[in-house]
Amino acid sequence: MMIRQVKVVNGDIVLVLNNAVDSLSSTVDGGLRHGVRYIIHHHVPSDFNADPMLEVRRIHEALSIKSNETVTFLTATELPRNHVINEENTHGLRVTVSLTIGLSNPYRIEDGNVISLLRKPSTVNIAVIIDANLTQPALVDAVALIAETKHETLSELTNGEIHGTTSDAIAILSSGNGELRPYAGLATDVGKAISHAVYNALIKAYEINQYKNH
């Protein structure tokens, strides 16, 4: 297991990793990072309109966590209810997915156009931790693949109505263990493992979300 501890603190989910890892993410505090030890899913109100970076720094201070060691997701979905962790040993690799789901501002891409229906803020946030040593190009491959898998899985689950939400974020975290992996596309074991784990995490999360809404 690559996560040492999962804590719920004042409605937020804090994942403490076993070891420092490299990451690439589209979160507010994202980009290419080294020495990441925490993943935070931070709950914000549905009418959140503050500076997101200031909010991220505020929550780091409140938790006494160093900002340079943390990847932080913001979401208005209900936590911890709409959070899932999916761990797999697949294609010879250990993969852990930490995912939150909220589908209240869905979009789909149709004829090259983004069709969205904003009801209130919510997100599909996906963090993937893989026990592999990924190069920077492989990290980029992985982010793209996570987005593609999210798109295809949600489309499958909703008969093409939803491909994601307009505020989704993605993070890939690499342990740095083992041989250097130059690529992470679907032709590789890394890509296959990531896609499989993300698909199964989304299935679990969607079922929870649908149960709650009915």
Side-chain angles (χ1 to χ4, degrees):
M1 185 172 179
M2 288 175 284
I3 298 173
R4 189 175 76 213
Q5 186 179 18
V6 180
K7 300 186 290 185
V8 179
V9 183
N10 297 324
D12 291 344
I13 296 170
V14 181
L15 283 67
V16 183
L17 306 183
N18 274 326
N19 299 291
V21 300
D22 295 331
S23 74
L24 181 66
S25 72
S26 61
T27 59
V28 172
D29 59 350
L32 181 64
R33 306 274 297 284
H34 305 286
V36 172
R37 297 180 179 273
Y38 304 93
I39 299 168
I40 298 174
H41 295 281
H42 174 53
H43 181 266
V44 295
S46 59
D47 60 351
F48 179 73
N49 195 31
D51 183 321
M53 197 63 227
L54 289 178
E55 180 69 8
V56 166
R57 290 172 183 156
R58 183 191 70 77
I59 196 62
H60 293 170
E61 290 177 5
L63 293 168
S64 299
I65 288 175
K66 294 179 181 179
S67 292
N68 63 350
E69 295 181 348
T70 310
V71 171
T72 312
F73 295 91
L74 305 180
T75 182
T77 199
E78 182 183 347
L79 298 177
R81 181 165 191 168
N82 287 323
H83 172 249
V84 300
I85 292 177
N86 181 49
E87 295 180 307
E88 297 188 6
N89 284 290
T90 181
H91 296 279
L93 293 160
R94 286 193 300 162
V95 185
T96 301
V97 179
S98 170
L99 183 153
T100 66
I101 191 168
L103 296 172
S104 60
N105 61 333
Y107 79 87
R108 70 178 183 274
I109 298 173
E110 187 174 297
D111 298 326
N113 299 309
V114 176
I115 299 171
S116 61
L117 178 61
L118 177 60
R119 293 192 289 267
K120 59 182 180 178
S122 199
T123 51
V124 179
N125 288 330
I126 305 173
V128 177
I129 315 161
I130 186 163
D131 191 16
N133 188 5
L134 304 188
T135 63
Q136 289 186 27
L139 291 171
V140 175
D141 276 346
V143 168
L145 181 56
I146 295 166
E148 291 170 8
T149 303
K150 177 198 70 174
H151 175 288
E152 291 302 316
T153 305
L154 289 176
S155 182
E156 174 187 315
L157 289 168
T158 63
N159 295 316
E161 287 298 311
I162 297 176
H163 296 158
T165 85
T166 56
S167 52
D168 295 348
I170 289 170
I172 178 69
L173 300 98
S174 162
S175 70
N177 294 331
E179 64 184 276
L180 195 62
R181 308 274 187 153
Y183 310 109
L186 276 175
T188 68
D189 288 340
V190 172
K192 292 172 184 175
I194 288 171
S195 186
H196 193 270
V198 170
Y199 176 85
N200 286 329
L202 275 167
I203 295 293
K204 291 180 183 178
Y206 185 79
E207 288 175 355
I208 292 169
N209 188 258
Q210 290 300 104
Y211 176 78
K212 174 198 164 188
N213 290 335
H214 291 85

